[in-house]
Amino acid sequence: MTRAIRWAGVVACLAALIGPASFASAQTYPDKPVRLVLPYAPGGIVDFIGRTLGQRLSEELGQPFVAENKPGAGGILGTDVVAQAAPDGYTLLLMDPAIIINPTLQENVPYDFKKDLKVVSVISSSPLVLVTSPALPAKTFAEFLAYAKANPGKLNYGSAGIGTTPHLAGELFSARAGAKAMHIPYRGIAAAFPDMMANKVQFAFSSITGAKPFTNDNRVRALATTGTKPSSAYPDLPTVAAAGLEGFDVDLWLAVFVPAATPEPIVAKLNKAVAAAIADAKTVEAFAKVGVEPRGTTPAEGNAIVAAEFEKWRKVIKDGGIKQP
Amino acid sequence: MIASKDVWAGLMFIAFAALFAVAGAKLRLGSAGVMGPGYFPMVLAGALALLGLGILGRAVAVHIVAGGARKLPLLESARVRIDPRPLLVLLVALVVFALLVGRAGLVLTTLLVAVIGSFAGTGVRWPQMLMLAAFLSALTYVIFVAALAMPLPVWPRGW
Amino acid sequence: MDLWSNLALGLSVAASPENFVFCLLGCLLGTLVGVLPGIGPVTTVAMLLPLTFSFDPVSGLIMLAGIYYGAQYGGSTTAILVNMPGEASSVVTAIDGHRLAQQGRAGAALGIAAIGSFIAGCVATVLIALAAPALGAVALQFGPAEYFSLMVCGLVAAVVLAHGSVMKALAMVVLGLLLGLVGTDVNSGVRRFTLGYPQLAEGIDFVALSMGIYGIAEIARNLEGRDETRAVRTRIGSIWPTRRDLVFCLPAIFRGTVLGSILGVLPGGGALLAAFAAYTVEKKIARPPRHFGEGDLRGVAAPESANNAGAQTSFVPMLTLGLPSNPTMAMMIGALMIHGITPGPSVIRDKPEMFWGLIASMWVGNLMLVVLNLPLVGIWVKLLQVPYRFLFPSILVFCCIGAFAVNGREFDVYVLAVMTVVGYLCAKLDCEPAPLILGFVLSPIMEENFRRAMLISRGDPSVLISEPLSLAFLLAALALLFVLVLPAVRVKREQALQE
């Protein structure tokens, strides 16, 4: 009798522990609206891609996927919301490389992306584009590389802020080329362009959407893109890797994350739905408008990619002495 | 009267300057050429302290010139009349709003905050006040939820 | 002439029934969110942006633009009626506007604000049509050194806003500068003065700051014991501004419009600086000057005109250069890109119907707004007859929601509470808040650009005076400081001796 009660207690405790997860059955999932947390303010790429994806997922799975902006602290606040959410598949996160850069760069990042989150799929890739001041004599990437090597310590490069992908790409370039270029951070990459036109800043790695208005009429010069293959937004430009800096690969990827304890069947179901959503012709077209190409990976591949990116950028941040007291 | 207000104002600015200086003490200063994150705040905190001292000093000087042998203006602080009740009630209302809005939703929280806030005034008339609170609650629903469709918590969680 | 055919093309686009409705919708929404404390155009445009993805790009842009300048109209309403500026630029309007309301001239103030905005809107529209590329070029003249010097100039001018002691006003500016530095330092990525709260990483929220310092601190003061006179406003004068008022204000409106049109194209705080600058200029050159700060209609007319003209010209660098001058414009660039339109010099050539359609819609929108706002004045003035015991709980509730809704987080309501205490203390000690607000908004721009200039010059401060434009601003600041301090010293000495 007492034993039975004790066992009942143990079972109850176990049920309570695994409760939230066990109730979320993969067969019935999703049976209520799903939150898709976007850790940035409306109007940016993550916001647009998130909304497009949310709409497609709603069509795939028959429940509304509601995009919700949770901006703040460079994406840390929104990411933490999902890291702490119930692992039932009803809270998703769409995030860019800042999710793995912030833990190295910032103090007191509340989440541990390896322990608290896991990848559903890396949904897209988007290279940066190297733009230079039109006043520079260099007209091609090879010439620019030679110019940067010949003028150590003299060049300035703009970025969208400390620890952003444009900053780290610039740092990586500067180190690989031995250019010792000075980093000039701006609040968002757009603000750097007037100074680049005036040759106060000589180059920058810009997002494609940021650069397009200025490269269309050659007010700044676009020289190369940073992916492993040429970008559809700049089909005529070579990649940095092909044009002289082997292995140079900077990707502004986006990935869908869920809390780490989310049951595998739900992750698998989501992964399938995401794959279908980004394969859709309308999605491809919408992504292309902001210079983003659909990618799509399995959860395992996605986790491996994100872990590798973490190591890569951690090394750049450490070697470049970017983290300041 | 003006003198004693200036004395307090000077002290307030000095206190703010000290606050920022202490909070920013750990920030790297750098040099004027290559500034660290602490340089600009320190310069400003210094400037604020100087201005505070200036305000304080002038207040005391004016007082001595004008008031002769009267006591130091610090003691006349009563002339800055402060009735803390309305301020405190309003602060309570704000904290209640912050604590409740996520859990109880906009409609109930507004109702409660309007009721609490009303006590900041004098001579509360219950029927009128309750009607006003209900009206405000309904109005916020119409404006923020129905018209603007803002993504805010409307009803208590779990309903 | 080209201008007329261009404007005719624009009008044909803007006056199509569909676009007309979108424009009206935008203006209505803009007025609504402008009047509501907290919810400004940035939040509204952000909310509606996804909706416009499915519209025709011109219609979407026309509506978003309507929200933006409609909010500038609406923003002055609460500033004048209850001394609660919802936007940084209406902080200036509140100074004289609210005094006028207390004197029973709220109708005149609101009317002049609407008429001034309308005139400014019309002039700015023509100016954009005539000289968009030239206006755009102004933005490109500004490098880091020029921005820094302009900010210095603006801050010195801020002291003119206060009508009390110069030292106190300067101290408030510096306090505002310090508060503005809270958050992540752009140059080093270090968080400053955030006390460990990640919510402060992007700085103190402007809405929470101004709602606290103006909105709630003001209630606390009004409700204090014997100070009944401030709260009860019985005398309601003539509802409309008279012809004499209008003639009296016309020069101020035009000066404000010119200043606003030029400063509006500058990224970061351009429109705000315009309102402050216009007020400062009027206070210094208008005759007779003695009423400023105590309810002078020109103190409403000038900043409101500047504000609206600036709001309109801020579209120019966005459209013709792809350069956003404020967060709303950045979102509009996003919207255009999503529609496959790349803003830049080629927009006027490749998308004339969009460019000129938008310009013309601004004029149409301004007409709608003045038609919409003038009758509203009567209603607003009636609102002042509502007993204060009903009014203040309403303000309280709206401030709470305003602060909360901007980012949807409770933290900002606590910030609101702290700022209420700060505002209350300052008010009690006769320290006026307007200079603090200006310092708060401008300090990140000022520090960032100074450090950027130093980075680019490798630590050589002479760039600040070797760039002619930068030198000019610094000299202007120096001259202004001189003009300010001199009479103040003389007056104070006389006062001291008389006592």
Side-chain angles (χ1 to χ4, degrees):
Chain A
M1 179 68 191
T2 46
R3 206 161 163 182
I5 291 172
R6 199 179 298 153
W7 271 110
V10 171
V11 169
C13 285
L14 277 176
L17 274 175
I18 56 170
S22 63
F23 289 131
S25 147
Q27 269 86 50
T28 55
Y29 173 87
D31 56 8
K32 61 178 183 183
V34 178
R35 290 205 297 167
L36 176 58
V37 175
L38 314 172
Y40 294 107
I45 294 183
V46 173
D47 178 62
F48 175 68
I49 298 290
R51 284 175 197 282
T52 311
L53 182 71
Q55 206 179 352
R56 290 272 151 246
L57 285 177
S58 312
E59 288 161 21
E60 289 293 327
L61 292 172
Q63 282 287 344
F65 279 65
V66 186
E68 198 177 301
N69 300 94
K70 285 270 174 208
I76 292 176
L77 289 182
T79 304
D80 193 44
V81 166
V82 181
Q84 289 183 21
D88 54 7
Y90 290 97
T91 313
L92 315 181
L93 170 76
L94 181 70
M95 193 47 181
D96 64 8
I99 194 172
I100 48 103
I101 293 171
N102 281 332
T104 309
L105 200 70
Q106 302 282 352
E107 306 285 338
N108 312 323
V109 172
Y111 64 84
D112 177 341
F113 79 93
K114 281 180 181 158
K115 277 197 206 134
D116 299 339
L117 295 161
K118 63 183 173 187
V119 178
V120 172
S121 176
V122 176
I123 63 157
S124 70
S125 266
S126 171
L128 301 179
V129 53
L130 170 65
V131 286
T132 62
S133 164
L136 292 189
K139 300 267 192 299
T140 66
F141 179 76
E143 285 171 23
F144 176 68
L145 186 61
Y147 183 80
K149 280 183 173 157
N151 292 287
K154 288 195 185 146
L155 300 187
N156 299 325
Y157 71 97
S159 86
I162 297 279
T164 57
T165 327
H167 173 200
L168 299 183
E171 188 58 41
L172 191 61
F173 173 84
S174 180
R176 293 275 312 263
K180 295 198 179 66
M182 172 81 82
H183 175 224
I184 316 283
Y186 289 81
R187 234 175 247 263
I189 196 74
F193 282 92
D195 284 349
M196 211 182 311
M197 285 184 255
N199 200 24
K200 291 189 172 90
V201 167
Q202 281 72 37
F203 71 99
F205 287 91
S206 166
S207 64
I208 286 176
T209 36
K212 268 276 167 187
F214 300 92
T215 56
N216 264 9
D217 49 7
N218 296 318
R219 285 180 295 156
V220 300
R221 207 175 275 148
L223 294 185
T225 50
T226 64
T228 47
K229 57 182 197 314
S231 157
S232 58
Y234 287 99
D236 301 335
L237 293 185
T239 63
V240 173
L245 283 181
E246 210 174 298
F248 190 96
D249 172 21
V250 180
D251 183 8
L252 202 66
W253 48 264
L254 296 175
V256 174
F257 293 83
V258 286
T262 308
E264 286 308 327
I266 288 181
V267 176
K269 194 165 186 180
L270 272 172
N271 180 275
K272 229 177 101 188
V274 169
I278 57 179
D280 187 276
K282 271 196 273 179
T283 319
V284 177
E285 193 195 339
F287 281 18
K289 284 176 181 167
V290 287
V292 169
E293 284 159 40
R295 190 167 174 182
T297 65
T298 65
E301 285 165 3
N303 281 311
I305 291 169
V306 169
E309 284 277 300
F310 171 71
E311 293 303 332
K312 172 168 124 194
W313 291 128
R314 190 167 69 158
K315 190 168 180 313
V316 174
I317 292 167
K318 289 262 147 58
D319 292 352
I322 287 170
K323 191 173 175 179
Q324 292 185 359
Chain B
M1 159 130 187
I2 297 207
S4 62
K5 269 189 184 173
D6 281 3
V7 168
W8 285 111
L11 290 175
M12 177 182 78
F13 288 124
I14 294 169
F16 271 120
L19 206 70
F20 274 97
V22 170
K26 282 202 194 119
L27 297 170
R28 203 168 45 81
L29 283 174
S31 63
V34 186
M35 285 185 178
Y39 194 94
F40 211 63
M42 274 307 158
V43 170
L44 288 176
L48 188 60
L50 281 181
L51 283 164
L53 277 175
I55 294 165
L56 181 66
R58 195 185 56 190
V60 174
V62 165
H63 185 82
I64 289 170
V65 170
R70 266 194 286 161
K71 285 173 192 165
L72 264 181
L74 264 177
L75 300 172
E76 294 173 34
S77 62
R79 296 205 182 163
V80 184
R81 271 195 286 269
I82 287 195
D83 172 10
R85 200 185 53 91
L87 180 67
L88 290 178
V89 174
L90 290 169
L91 290 178
V92 168
L94 291 181
V95 171
V96 166
F97 183 93
L99 287 176
L100 279 185
V101 71
R103 266 160 276 210
L106 204 58
V107 171
L108 288 184
T109 310
T110 351
L111 196 75
L112 191 63
V113 166
V115 169
I116 296 174
S118 296
F119 283 92
T122 43
V124 174
R125 292 172 221 172
W126 275 95
Q128 276 188 352
M129 182 191 72
L130 286 177
M131 267 162 64
L132 174 73
F135 171 73
L136 281 176
S137 182
L139 189 68
T140 51
Y141 181 85
V142 169
I143 293 179
F144 294 97
V145 183
L148 292 174
M150 297 202 69
L152 298 170
V154 182
W155 301 107
R157 202 184 281 167
W159 278 20
Chain C
M1 196 177 144
D2 252 9
L3 174 67
W4 300 116
S5 62
N6 287 334
L7 279 180
L9 168 70
L11 270 176
S12 72
V13 175
S16 81
E18 195 193 53
N19 288 338
F20 191 82
V21 171
F22 277 118
C23 187
L24 183 65
L25 242 141
C27 289
L28 281 172
L29 256 175
T31 306
L32 176 64
V33 300
V35 171
L36 289 175
I39 326 300
V42 184
T43 323
T44 318
V45 169
M47 263 168 36
L48 291 175
L49 198 59
L51 197 72
T52 61
F53 294 163
S54 54
F55 294 176
D56 177 59
V58 182
S59 307
L61 204 61
I62 284 177
M63 187 177 89
L64 295 180
I67 294 173
Y68 181 64
Y69 55 74
Q72 312 291 332
Y73 268 75
S76 54
T77 309
T78 42
I80 291 170
L81 291 177
V82 287
N83 196 18
M84 195 166 59
E87 291 277 312
S89 46
S90 23
V91 164
V92 198
T93 310
I95 300 174
D96 277 273
H98 187 57
R99 281 297 174 90
L100 283 164
Q102 287 176 331
Q103 293 158 13
R105 302 208 64 208
L110 287 167
I112 275 292
I115 295 168
S117 294
F118 176 67
I119 296 177
C122 294
V123 174
T125 304
V126 176
L127 209 62
I128 294 174
L130 276 173
L135 273 176
V138 171
L140 289 180
Q141 294 303 311
F142 277 70
E146 285 82 1
Y147 272 116
F148 170 74
S149 303
L150 177 67
M151 294 303 138
V152 172
C153 201
L155 288 175
V156 174
V159 178
V160 180
L161 296 173
H163 42 279
S165 132
V166 172
M167 260 207 280
K168 275 183 176 174
L170 273 174
M172 287 300 268
V173 170
V174 177
L175 182 57
L177 287 169
L178 278 166
L179 288 172
L181 293 182
V182 173
T184 307
D185 168 33
V186 173
N187 280 277
S188 64
V190 173
R191 291 197 194 151
R192 296 185 292 193
F193 311 116
T194 57
L195 312 172
Y197 292 106
Q199 291 93 333
L200 284 176
E202 262 108 52
I204 297 173
D205 186 66
F206 174 79
V207 171
L209 178 100
S210 72
M211 295 291 109
I213 287 183
Y214 279 92
I216 301 189
E218 166 103 358
I219 301 178
R221 263 180 344 126
N222 282 344
L223 290 176
E224 283 190 351
R226 302 145 292 276
D227 210 355
E228 288 291 331
T229 44
R230 291 182 59 85
V232 186
R233 307 172 179 95
T234 42
R235 216 155 46 87
I236 302 282
S238 68
I239 288 186
W240 307 99
T242 60
R243 187 185 294 273
R244 244 187 79 224
D245 290 338
L246 201 59
V247 172
F248 180 61
C249 288
L250 221 47
I253 290 175
F254 280 110
R255 282 190 287 262
T257 303
V258 172
L259 264 172
S261 302
I262 296 169
L263 289 172
V265 300
L266 298 180
L272 165 69
L273 214 54
F276 276 87
Y279 186 87
T280 307
V281 166
E282 286 313 309
K283 194 169 174 180
K284 282 289 152 198
I285 71 168
R287 293 285 172 268
R290 59 183 178 282
H291 294 305
F292 278 94
E294 286 139 33
D296 192 313
L297 266 181
R298 294 168 302 185
V300 175
E304 277 302 306
S305 314
N307 179 5
N308 206 46
Q312 235 135 295
T313 53
S314 63
F315 279 85
V316 172
M318 188 273 281
L319 283 169
T320 65
L321 299 171
L323 201 64
S325 52
N326 57 46
T328 317
M329 291 301 136
M331 278 190 273
M332 294 215 193
I333 289 191
L336 286 175
M337 301 283 286
I338 283 155
H339 280 297
I341 297 166
T342 306
S346 51
V347 158
I348 306 182
R349 191 181 63 232
D350 299 345
K351 296 262 170 199
E353 76 289 343
M354 190 193 81
F355 183 81
W356 296 107
L358 180 64
I359 303 294
S361 87
M362 289 181 183
W363 186 80
V364 174
N366 269 293
L367 194 63
M368 284 177 185
L369 280 168
V370 81
V371 170
L372 196 75
N373 272 276
L374 282 179
L376 275 180
V377 169
I379 301 175
W380 294 129
V381 173
K382 286 238 165 53
L383 206 65
L384 283 182
Q385 285 163 308
V386 172
Y388 197 63
R389 66 173 188 283
F390 294 143
L391 208 51
F392 84 82
S394 319
I395 297 174
L396 172 70
V397 163
F398 279 106
C399 284
C400 284
I401 300 174
F404 175 67
V406 176
N407 296 305
R409 58 191 193 200
E410 289 86 348
F411 184 83
D412 290 327
V413 182
Y414 293 117
V415 174
L416 175 69
V418 173
M419 287 305 147
T420 300
V421 176
V422 173
Y424 179 82
L425 280 178
C426 290
K428 276 283 150 190
L429 301 175
D430 291 340
C431 299
E432 287 163 57
L436 181 140
I437 300 276
L438 188 69
F440 173 79
V441 177
L442 298 186
S443 83
I445 310 175
M446 182 167 159
E447 188 206 11
E448 245 172 82
N449 281 294
F450 183 71
R451 288 169 68 182
R452 200 171 283 146
M454 289 300 116
L455 278 177
I456 292 173
S457 75
R458 302 291 189 271
D460 176 9
S462 70
V463 281
L464 296 179
I465 45 175
S466 64
E467 304 271 357
L469 205 53
S470 171
L471 178 66
F473 284 129
L474 286 180
L475 287 178
L478 209 65
L480 201 56
L481 199 63
F482 198 64
V483 171
L484 275 174
V485 173
L486 217 61
V489 171
R490 202 184 310 136
V491 169
K492 282 280 134 52
R493 195 183 300 133
E494 280 164 14
Q495 270 180 0
L497 289 176
Q498 274 170 11
E499 284 172 25

